[in-house]
């Protein structure tokens, strides 16, 4: 039976991961190792030289073994692949992330970082994200089809499949666009706000974002702003 390791960066209680777990059960035996809390924008960071706390967790999907981990999403993959499972899994799934992981934001993504760690460990890996909204119609409609396709689509070393579902109603979705390249644009341009002056000439600031919907044709971001499901392959560091 296919062995599937699932993690995320929104924490083990995230509804998106529960939906991914339920879908993945149709393809094999599922193990969850996920952060014990929110770890968004943690990229591919890992814990070094300090302990990781790993606990069994009563996951709300029958037949699924689960653990929480005090580390980052990439740590969860490492723990699952190298310490919990007796054999390397056949598949790593990361998500379903709350919010897009496309364009230049991929480099910050803990979801993609986890998938990259899976690829680094020699496991076929897929990152799955959707727009941060309460409308899951497109994701729920296409998820099984997309997983079935990508599980059986080979990847070169260090590469992952990166999937993003638009948050529009299903009636407004125009379908799936494959082989999307990574846009050089970004969904939100950073805007820094100064909150108050601190001692010794310091300032407290907060990063806000201004929405941007301009992207190059053929890219992941261009697909999403036009209400398509975006599927693409992304390189890990070190891939020539």
């Amino acid at each position: 039976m296919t062995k599937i390791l699932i993690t995320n960066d929104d924490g083990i209680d995230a509804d998106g991961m529960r939906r991914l777990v339920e879908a993945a059960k149709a393809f094999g035996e599922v193990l969850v190792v996920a952060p014990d809390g929110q770890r968004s924008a943690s990229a591919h960071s890992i814990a070094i030289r300090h302990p990781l706390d790993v606990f069994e967790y009563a996951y709300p999907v029958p037949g699924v073994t689960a653990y929480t981990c005090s580390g980052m999403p990439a740590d969860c993959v490492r723990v699952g692949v190298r310490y919990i499972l007796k054999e390397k899994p056949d598949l790593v799934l990361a998500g379903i992330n709350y919010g897009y992981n496309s364009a230049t934001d991929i480099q910050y993504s803990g979801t993609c970082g986890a998938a990259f760690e899976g690829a680094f460990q020699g496991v076929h890996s897929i990152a799955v994200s959707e727009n941060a909204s309460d409308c899951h119609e497109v994701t729920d409609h296409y998820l099984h089809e997309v997983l079935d396709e990508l599980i059986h689509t080979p990847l070169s070393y260090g590469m992952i499949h990166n999937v993003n579902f638009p948050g529009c109603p299903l009636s407004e979705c125009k379908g799936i666009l494959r082989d999307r390249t990574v846009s050089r644009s970004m969904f939100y341009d950073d805007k820094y706000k100064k909150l108050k002056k601190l001692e010794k000439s310091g300032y407290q600031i907060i990063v806000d974002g201004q929405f941007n919907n301009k992207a190059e044709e053929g890219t992941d971001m261009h697909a999403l702003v036009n209400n398509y499901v975006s599927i693409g392959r992304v390189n890990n560091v070190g891939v020539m």
Side-chain angles (χ1 to χ4, degrees):
M1 177 177 286
T2 301
K3 295 186 181 298
I4 304 170
L5 174 61
I6 298 183
T7 192
N8 70 352
D9 71 358
D10 292 320
I12 198 161
D13 292 323
D15 179 69
M17 188 172 70
R18 179 191 58 75
R19 290 162 47 228
L20 181 59
V21 168
E22 290 175 340
K25 284 185 64 180
F27 299 97
E29 180 182 350
V30 173
L31 170 72
V32 170
V33 184
D36 56 14
Q38 177 61 248
R39 300 288 193 278
S40 291
S42 55
H44 198 161
S45 61
I46 59 172
I48 298 178
R49 300 188 182 92
H50 66 79
L52 291 172
D53 298 326
V54 180
F55 293 98
E56 292 186 19
Y57 184 84
Y59 203 72
V61 177
V64 173
T65 301
Y67 295 84
T68 62
C69 176
S70 61
M72 299 298 174
D75 287 314
C76 295
V77 174
R78 292 170 67 88
V79 166
V81 171
R82 301 175 69 90
Y83 298 102
I84 295 178
L85 288 170
K86 295 180 180 179
E87 298 179 355
K88 184 180 293 187
D90 303 292
L91 177 68
V92 167
L93 298 178
I96 299 170
N97 184 67
Y98 185 74
Y100 291 139
N101 280 315
S102 65
T104 55
D105 288 337
I106 290 173
Q107 65 188 318
Y108 305 115
S109 167
T111 304
C112 291
F116 282 136
E117 181 60 34
F120 180 71
Q121 296 293 334
V123 183
H124 192 84
S125 299
I126 304 171
V128 184
S129 306
E130 67 180 352
N131 188 34
S133 72
D134 294 327
C135 183
H136 308 302
E137 292 181 10
V138 176
T139 306
D140 293 343
H141 179 78
Y142 285 108
L143 182 58
H144 186 279
E145 174 186 343
V146 168
L147 289 178
D148 189 39
E149 174 185 337
L150 298 184
I151 286 171
H152 301 101
T153 303
L155 287 164
S156 301
Y157 175 77
M159 299 189 76
I160 66 170
H161 292 299
N162 188 38
V163 182
N164 283 271
F165 294 98
C168 62
L170 182 60
S171 60
E172 298 178 11
C173 180
K174 301 174 183 176
I176 300 174
L177 289 178
R178 296 168 174 82
D179 299 321
R180 298 300 93 185
T181 59
V182 177
S183 173
R184 296 183 181 182
S185 189
M186 61 183 67
F187 272 106
Y188 291 93
D189 294 324
D190 287 351
K191 300 294 181 183
Y192 288 86
K193 294 182 179 179
K194 187 187 300 182
L195 298 183
K196 63 181 179 180
K197 186 174 181 180
L198 303 176
E199 296 179 0
K200 298 181 180 180
S201 302
Y203 292 93
Q204 185 181 77
I205 62 174
I206 187 171
V207 181
D208 198 0
Q210 181 174 340
F211 182 73
N212 165 55
N213 62 0
K214 297 178 181 179
E216 314 93 313
E217 290 190 13
T219 64
D220 51 5
M221 184 172 163
H222 189 269
L224 292 167
V225 297
N226 287 285
N227 289 345
Y228 286 95
V229 178
S230 170
I231 298 177
R233 300 179 185 184
V234 184
N235 289 339
N236 200 348
V237 294
V239 176
M240 302 300 290

